[in-house]
Structure formats: structure tokens, C-alpha cells
Amino acid sequence: MASSKDDLERLLKREYVAGFITDIEADTVPPGLDESVIRLISAKKEEPAFLLEWRLAAYRHWLTLREPRWAKVAYPPIDYQAISYYSAPKSRADAPQSLDEVDPKLLETYEKLGIPLHERARLAGVAVDAVFDSVSVATTFKEKLREAGVIFCSFSEAVREHPELVRQYLGSVVPHTDNFYAALNAAVFTDGSFVYVPPGVRCPMELSTYFRINAANTGQFERTLIIADAGSHVSYLEGCTAPMRDENQLHAAVVELVALEDATIKYSTVQNWYPGDEQGRGGIYNFVTKRGDCRGDRSKITWTQVETGSAITWKYPSCILRGAGSVGEFYSVATTNNHQQADTGTKMIHIGPNTRSTIVSKGISARHGQQTYRGLVKVLPSADGARNHTQCDSLLMGDRCGAHTVPYIEVKNPSAQVEHEATTSRIGEDQLFYCRQRGISAEDAVNMIVNGFCKDVFQVLPMEFAVEAQKLLSVSLEGAVG
Amino acid sequence: MLQIDDLQVSVEDRPILKGLSLKVNAGEIHAIMGPNGSGKSTLAAVLAGREGYVHTGGAVHYRGQDLLALAPEARAREGVFLGFQYPVEIPGVNNVYLLKASLNAQRRHRGEPELDAFEFLRLVREQMTFMGIPEEFLRRSVNEGFSGGEKKRNEILQMLILQPRLAILDEIDSGLDIDALKVVSRGIEALRSPDRAMILVTHYQRLLDYVTPDFVHVLAGGRIVRSGGKELARELEAEGYGAVVAGAGA
């Protein structure tokens, strides 16, 4: 009798489609980290003194820290002296004024990824700040944003053009002492994105950045800072793919969001970094600190993420609900296939009165994938009337994967309402057979069932991202029932 | 249409079907009746291609093809439909979405153009009215939170839209009240056609009060032990399986 397992097994073994390396000369410093490297990075970027001092303070603090070991992930020790901390495309020396001047090889890379910059910008009305390795090489739709008063640029440019904003907000959500990786990032970050939306402005378009790790053996330390001033609104999209390679690559980004009174920030991520091969070799280590501060009353921050890539993910996009009546939301779909490991979740810290948070986490594990949801809901004594609802669902495919749920709930205010629901289910052979009996292929049936499982999250993604996310999910889980 | 010869099937090394033979021609409706554990549902599952059933002997030909060599979706696209005894819930997947994907997969296979959303919805609405299914059905997930009767109606709705060549309905009457039974029966009767064959797997005779079969077979111990016309169902109802099966020497 025909077996769907064989088909699925075959599909599962499909190669990572975004795996290729673009041949561009890179200006890379030798591996190793000490104060001189940090001074070099700062000098190359012509940074003001306060930033260099901040970097050095972070570095000195980092030296006193140890790598966190509490996450449910396993990997060999990382040699931080074997990493090169600076790499910039050569063509950066004479920065392009328009797309015509952009290195054609670079544009080719985007073509391969199916995100032609100009097309996408023109057709979709999306401004793209493309981070290739560590330096921004193209920024579009700047004019339109400038008219609205929105600042959207590379972090380096923000340091040059708006040092007062950078100085005021940098490290105010994720201090340079926050954790091992955040301290490392603060010391050596090379670039990233910066957004400032002035009071009362609704950002006229979705802001989008494509990160891509390219130069071999170069750690990536992006830093993103988004400030939504009083009564403003901004939606930011982050999408990632990476080329195929053998060595593990460390990625330790920091994202800081600040929402002032009545401001709304929506931060959406589709992450598809190289997860390693079938035996678990290679793949990106994604150790990221993402945190939003609902600083003003009635402010709102929403994190939405679709995580299909990376060998190891360590990531907890969080909200500090400081303002009265502020709202934090976290919607997540994470998949772990082959030997991927993910320890991910969120933290909702209720400080202000009548603060509300919602957590919807959908975890999908296949083959040897191991996934942990780790979430903290903390209600401080000051947070009268705080409310949280957590929905945490795991879907298992096959019998060698694992799903683990570790909720931490700390409530120090008797008026708070905290709800936690969790389910774990196996993708049913029954569901699969039902769909196939109606003429739908096993592959399409799996996609359909998984998309149904993730519906609550996909519904809150921006439209163009939702389509991409569904496609990604289907590629990353091909043949995962085995 | 369907020719089953000496079919032998095991589940976890336990023989369930032990030499079952049956011939079904286009235009015919066959009822397969039998006591619990006789292998009725196994037969339905094997014909549709469910995993976990090991084919140990005999053959099944469907329109000249070796049916058991085909994947479940290939059988479906060739026109084999299974009405499930326990229709499956699929959270988050819309009823209409599944049905449209299903119809279009079959149409593609037949080289016909796919229906667009508008044409498809018109077709669904028409059949929903016929089956007495309320409008809100369109917004619900596949079988999620459906009552037993609603699930069975949904099976028949799917069948009406997919228009299979060979429909196998596994205990489609179980769990239905008399009104739902009538609606389901009307759906089955609506599909009776000279080009189509149906196999009704049922434990009770009452479905056959509304759908008149051309042949009735009694399945016991993994074999068909008696075959007859519609009057055989009444005999079973009156005398019980025990007497009929014993009389057949099984």
C-alpha cells in the first residue's frame, strides 16, 4: 500500500533554497577582539566620543560575564577570538547615490532571493533599508518619509546626523550591561537601522529591512533602534535569509523599541537563516535581545515573528509595560526541523496600572527539532488591574522531536488577572489522510494543516509578509511528517 | 467499475479481511452489512488507501487499474470518495478552503480548468441549500465543533460537490437522528446515476429504508458470506446477524 511517509521523507530533504554566496570583496579585519578592535570599528565609522566610551564600557562589562547556559539548547563552545568583528563591502568607499550605482552583484543577490529592491519599493510602496553584511548600501523612499518627518536610516547615519536622538535613547531599553550577548553587541555593533517617528505622525508606509549574513566567518552584530514619539504609529518589517556555509555563524543583534504616549509600534519578523544541514552541521546561532518599552501611557507594542531558520535560536522579544493602560502583544510561529533548537518566548513586565498583554505562541517541531517556549509574565505591585492572556500551542511532527513549555508567572498585585493555556498535539495521520482522500497531495495537506494551526498569528502579520511567511513555512517543513 | 478478488488484509499481523471478493458495476448501489468487527470499516479504509493496513493477498481493480498501487490522493482524483465514519476536525482550516482545494486538485487531474472563487461559491451555496446547511458553515473550520449530524452532512456536501465515480460511505448513518438521516439519504439519492457506483457500509437496516440498494452483502469473519437483493436487509433486521451468518455456514 502506498505510504505517505516516503514522500514526506523525500520532501523533507530538500536543500535550503537561499543557499548561495555572492562574490564581493569585503573589507574585513582579522579575527579577534580587544579594545583596539573596538577603537578601530568606532574610528572607521567616525563615531563621536560618547559612543566609543559606551562601547568600551560595554566591552569591559562583557569581560566579566559568562555565556548564559540556562536555555534548553546545546552547542559547542564559541571561540569569540576566532570571529572577525568588522566587514564592509568594498564599494562602500564611494557610497551609491541611487540604485544604478549599487554593485550589480549585490542587486543580483537580491534578485536570487526574490526581493528585487526597486521593484519591491515601487510596486509595494515599501522603503527598503538594505543591510548587506554590516553596512547599509541602499535606502529608498527617503524623500517621502522625510516629507512626513520620519527618520529612517542606517544606524551609522543616525549617529552622524542625529547624535542627540541616538544618545538619548541608545541603551535605554536594553542597557549595555543587560546580558552577555547584548553587552557584546553594544561593544562591537557595526550597523543596523534607526527609526524616529515624530509626534502625531502615522508613518506613511511599512518600513522594511532585509538583513543578510554574507562574508564568511563574520559575526553579525546589528543594532536597531525605533522611537515612536507621542501619538505616532509605525510598522516595521524585518526579513532575513542567509547563504549556505559550513561554519556556525554567530548573530547577536539588539533591537530596542521606545513607544511614548499613545504611540504604536508593530514589529514583524520573518527569519529564515540557514538552519544547518540534515545532520545539524553549520547553521546560524541566533542569540538576539529584542525589547520594547511602552514608556508612555496608552502606548502599544506588538511583536510578530515567524521563525523558520537558524541552527539555534535564543530569543525573547519582550515588552516593558510602564505607561498606564499600555498594551504589549507577542505573536509567534516558530518551527524547528532536522536538528534545529529553539528556546524562544517573551517577557511581559507589567509596571503601570491597567496594562494588558497577549501572548500567542505556536511552536512546530519536526524530525529531531527541539523547541522550548519560555515566557515570563511579571506583574509588579504598581500594576493594578493588569491583565495577561497566554496561549501556547505546540504541534509535533514525527516521534523524535520535542516541545517544552516553561512559563514563569510572577504576580505581585492581587487585582491582576493572568491566564495561561497550553496545548500539545501531534499532526494527525487522520487529518493528513482526510485531506489526501479529498485529492490533496500530502505536501499540500501538511501546509494546509500547519497554516491552520498558525492562523491566529498569520492574521496579525502585514499582508505581504503573511504570504511570504506561509511560503517559508511550507519550505521549512517540507516532508516533516515521517 | 470495481473488482475485488480474494482480498486479504492484516492489521498489526492480525488478519482482518480473509479472502473478500466483490464486483461493483457502474449504476449500482451495494450495501455491505455485518456485525461489529466483521471487517466493514477495514474494507472502506483499504479501498481509500489509509496507512496501517497490510495487503497480504488478492487484488483490487478499479476501472482497470490496480487500485492498491495508487496513493490516496491519486485514488481520490480518479474519483474514489470515502465518506468517513468519524470525519476529522482540522482547526484553523476553513471548510470552503479545503473543499475548493480538493475540487480544484481533482479538476486539474482531469485537465479541466479550476473554478474561481465566485463560481465555486455559487456551487457550494446551491448544494448547501439542498442539504439544509446554514450559511455560517462557510466561515467555520473543517468539522471543528460540529455535531455528529453536521459532520455527516458535511461529508455528503463534499460528495455532492466532488461528484465521485465511486463513493464508499462508511457508517454514514451512525449518530444521525431521523431528520438528519432523511437529509443524508436525499443527498445520496441525488447522486444515483448510471455512471456512478456506491458502496454503503452500514450496521443497521434503517438507512436502506431511504436509499434502496441494488445488492446487499453480509460480511462476517473477513469474507462476504451472503449476497442478495434489498430483501436480504429485511431478513437481517428480522432475524439478526447470528442466524443469517450461521445459515450461511460461516
Side-chain angles (χ1 to χ4, degrees), chain A residues 127-383:
Chain A
V128 177
D129 177 2
V131 175
F132 189 83
D133 272 343
S134 314
V135 172
S136 299
V137 293
T139 304
T140 54
F141 274 87
K142 272 204 146 169
E143 281 309 311
K144 201 169 168 191
L145 290 171
R146 194 173 290 145
E147 275 170 36
V150 175
I151 302 169
F152 176 40
C153 60
S154 72
F155 207 97
S156 311
E157 192 181 333
V159 169
R160 281 196 308 274
E161 308 289 327
H162 310 281
E164 71 298 339
L165 284 172
V166 172
R167 191 168 191 167
Q168 185 182 349
Y169 290 103
L170 176 68
S172 73
V173 185
V174 180
H176 66 274
T177 51
D178 193 80
N179 68 67
F180 183 85
Y181 303 114
L184 181 61
N185 176 288
V188 302
F189 76 92
T190 42
D191 215 331
S193 295
F194 178 87
V195 178
Y196 172 78
V197 189
V201 170
R202 195 178 176 89
C203 186
M205 62 191 73
E206 311 258 5
L207 302 178
S208 161
T209 302
Y210 284 85
F211 294 88
R212 189 171 166 82
I213 299 173
N214 201 290
N217 224 6
T218 303
Q220 283 273 300
F221 302 94
E222 318 281 353
R223 188 134 195 140
T224 298
L225 176 57
I226 299 176
I227 304 140
D229 214 324
S232 68
H233 182 285
V234 62
S235 170
Y236 187 90
L237 317 180
E238 172 200 22
C240 321
T241 63
M244 187 178 253
R245 62 180 66 258
D246 286 322
E247 286 152 280
N248 291 305
Q249 283 183 302
L250 175 64
H251 186 100
V254 170
V255 176
E256 295 181 277
L257 311 182
V258 180
L260 301 181
E261 222 171 77
D262 295 301
T264 299
I265 300 176
K266 195 175 157 115
Y267 192 103
S268 311
T269 305
V270 170
Q271 187 265 113
N272 179 32
W273 283 329
Y274 181 51
D277 66 14
E278 275 176 54
Q279 277 74 44
R281 283 188 303 257
I284 304 292
Y285 292 179
N286 189 20
F287 302 146
V288 179
T289 305
K290 289 184 166 177
R291 194 175 302 154
D293 189 354
C294 286
R295 212 164 275 182
D297 293 350
R298 297 169 304 278
S299 56
K300 180 178 177 184
I301 290 179
T302 302
W303 296 101
T304 306
Q305 58 174 26
V306 176
E307 304 272 324
T308 62
S310 296
I312 300 175
T313 301
W314 180 98
K315 178 179 171 184
Y316 315 89
S318 306
C319 296
I320 300 167
L321 302 170
R322 207 184 296 273
S326 59
V327 177
E329 293 178 332
F330 173 77
Y331 297 97
S332 170
V333 167
T335 65
T336 47
N337 196 355
N338 290 323
H339 288 266
Q340 281 178 284
Q341 307 171 62
D343 193 302
T344 184
T346 184
K347 288 188 274 187
M348 293 291 175
I349 316 291
H350 293 257
I351 300 173
N354 300 313
T355 45
R356 282 179 289 136
S357 61
T358 302
I359 298 170
V360 178
S361 166
K362 304 279 182 176
I364 302 160
S365 300
R367 293 167 75 89
H368 295 278
Q370 288 293 327
Q371 192 165 140
T372 302
Y373 168 81
R374 191 182 300 276
L376 169 68
V377 176
K378 189 169 186 169
V379 179
L380 297 183
S382 52

Side-chain angles (χ1 to χ4, degrees), chain B residues 39-56:
Chain B
K40 300 192 300 291
S41 286
T42 297
L43 175 62
V46 167
L47 293 178
R50 191 189 269 277
E51 277 187 52
Y53 296 85
V54 182
H55 174 211
T56 52

Side-chain angles (χ1 to χ4, degrees), chain A residues 1-8 428-445 447-456 470 481, chain B residues 46 48-51 53 55 68-73 75-77 80-82 84 87-93 97-98 101-102 105-106 142-143 155 158 162:
Chain A
M1 214 155 292
S3 157
S4 67
K5 288 187 180 173
D6 296 344
D7 300 344
L8 290 164
E429 288 295 326
D430 284 355
Q431 291 175 332
L432 208 52
F433 177 62
Y434 191 75
C435 294
R436 295 179 73 191
Q437 209 302 306
R438 295 299 181 253
I440 296 164
S441 70
E443 187 186 349
D444 289 347
N447 288 343
M448 199 180 274
I449 294 164
V450 167
N451 279 316
F453 175 75
C454 300
K455 193 177 167 194
D456 296 346
Q470 292 191 16
V481 176
Chain B
V46 167
R50 191 189 269 277
E51 277 187 52
Y53 296 85
H55 174 211
L68 302 185
L70 299 178
E73 58 269 37
R75 300 182 199 193
R77 291 171 195 168
V80 177
F81 177 92
L82 174 65
F84 284 66
V88 180
E89 299 191 5
I90 311 179
V93 176
Y97 182 75
L98 174 81
S102 173
Q106 302 197 13
V142 178
N143 291 320
E155 294 295 288
Q158 294 182 4
L162 296 174

